[in-house]
Amino acid sequence: MRYIIILLVWILHFQPIVASAQVVSKAIENRLMEILTAEKISGAVISVLNADSVQVLGMGVKNMHTGEKMTGQEKVHVGSITKTILALGVLRMATENKLKLDDPVHQYLPGLPFDNPWEKEQPITIRHLLDHTSGLSDLRLWHFFSTGSNPDTPLESFYQSNPAVLKIYSKPGSVFSYSNMGYTLLGMVIEAIAKERYERYLDSVLLKPLGMQQSSFQFYSQTGVEAVSDLAMGHFDNGEMAPAMPIFLRPAGQFTTTGEDMVCIMKLLLNRGVVNGEQFIRKDLIDQIGKQTQTIAAVNGLPNGYALGAVSRDRHGVVGIAHSGNIIGYKAMLYVFPNRGKGFFIACNMDSESADYERLNRMLIAGLSMDSEILPTMASIHPRKASKKWVGYYAPLIPKVEPFQLLERISSFTNVSMDNGTLSLQPFQKKSVQLLTNDNRLFIADGKVGYSHLFYENEAGEKFLTTGTQTLKKLNGIQLILPMISISMGVISLVLLLLLGTIQLIKSPATVQQQAYSYAYYAAWLLVIGGILAASKGIIYVGDKNMVTMLLYAASVALPVSCALSIFRYCRQPGNPFKKVDFWVLVFLSQCCLLLGMNGMLPFATWS
């Protein structure tokens, strides 16, 4: 009995020592803190794994308003890293023969209203959902930015009010397209098989056996009835507190954990599915994580891709299996290097639009002392001149957020140009990238370990550019330039309309109503006021059906209607309207409204 007590005391005291072993140097720790300070990030929980040595760090503050320091033991949210952990739950079910990855989703969810033109040829499978190759778009605004959800909202609520969200844009299995809705469907599949909520099931059959005692798929917040005292407060980049809120797509982003618990996930991946000497998840399934083989990109030799809950990431001279996470108040990254037996996890309790989080990832990779894997491919692939047929403009094939496909096209396009036989990629508002090739299909960018880009064309002669995790379709330049001109003219016209009307209002208030453009002028102000109120209310309310969003909707209906009525008034007045500046202001504003309406952006219903 005495020896048992001694052994228990030794275990209890030894575990914290192991968890705090020095893995990265003090100099790297100092650099990480310098980066947090320079990027104005509130704080971070970090865990680093190197073989059997583990180090857990807390940096910065847990709460900017109280100044309480991070210790490293805090609970944190991880955003989309939830997908990796939920995917491991699905792989556990496959290991137990409760499902097969290539089973059609309709086998478990028979009433699902997919709009899949390829249904007979290629139904959507569980693997497609895991790999983000189902052809679904990502989400709607209200799926994440809404107060209409609660921790018990049925998962199917994300499509029941609008089944059109289940539209399939590409043949399942062919191209990668990130989809939070896809992982919500996986949550529904788990519930259909387990006959209980996916949160309780995965907490019991996945997290508990892994030893993740401080983690849960349940909803936890820093405030309210779900408040957990050791959960670090989330922040926006202005320092404003951002407590967690329930979301409709919770299987895609709702997970609470600690730095120490995330070491269990890293060990599971590095040990190829073995837990406590037993094969918890089949080796062949673990080996497929991050190794896509079915997409057009993979079939044509592009090595990096997303598979079974994680992506093969070629950054900073090394290739690792990774997943990033972003949710209100948090940014996180999980990275493992199977060939090196190393990995790290970091969760920052600040969701900043301006901070460069990649600096932290780069420093942690450096801290793990991994030699660069960069091959001399840029000099040794015997580069040849690229074909001019790839030159042109490319835009995303599948919309990320409906109904903003038009705006995505003109803000996320890439211009491919050629200089002395070398292709150059110029993403909109980003640095240009030069590509070399030796077969005119697969290309490599400077600093990459392997091939990083693929150009291909389909049977119809349409041309595409893909990185394995993003696919762009070549467009006629007019398809980009005309919408950009149209929207620019519309915005300028809106400003001019407000100026013309306001000047007239100041000069002679009584005569404003007599102006032909008066209807459009009032509608324009309605739109501006609605936008200001929506911005002041906060992004988390954007998807709600409230007074502010209803005002925006009403303004988006009133503006095109009032422009048409104002133009009609001009046509009925004596004189030539074509000689009047305000007439052309209305015409240019109307054409912009027409374009937005044809692309589903007017009327603007954020809750749809």
Side-chain angles (χ1 to χ4, degrees), residues 491-512:
V491 172
I492 293 171
S493 298
L494 181 66
V495 173
L496 287 175
L497 175 64
L498 292 170
L499 286 174
L500 287 170
T502 303
I503 291 171
Q504 185 65 34
L505 187 65
I506 294 172
K507 289 170 58 178
S508 178
T511 62
V512 172

Side-chain angles (χ1 to χ4, degrees), residues 12 108 179 184 225 319 322 425 460 521 561 574:
L12 291 172
Y108 304 97
S179 178
T184 304
V225 295
V319 175
L425 268 60
Y521 172 69
V561 172

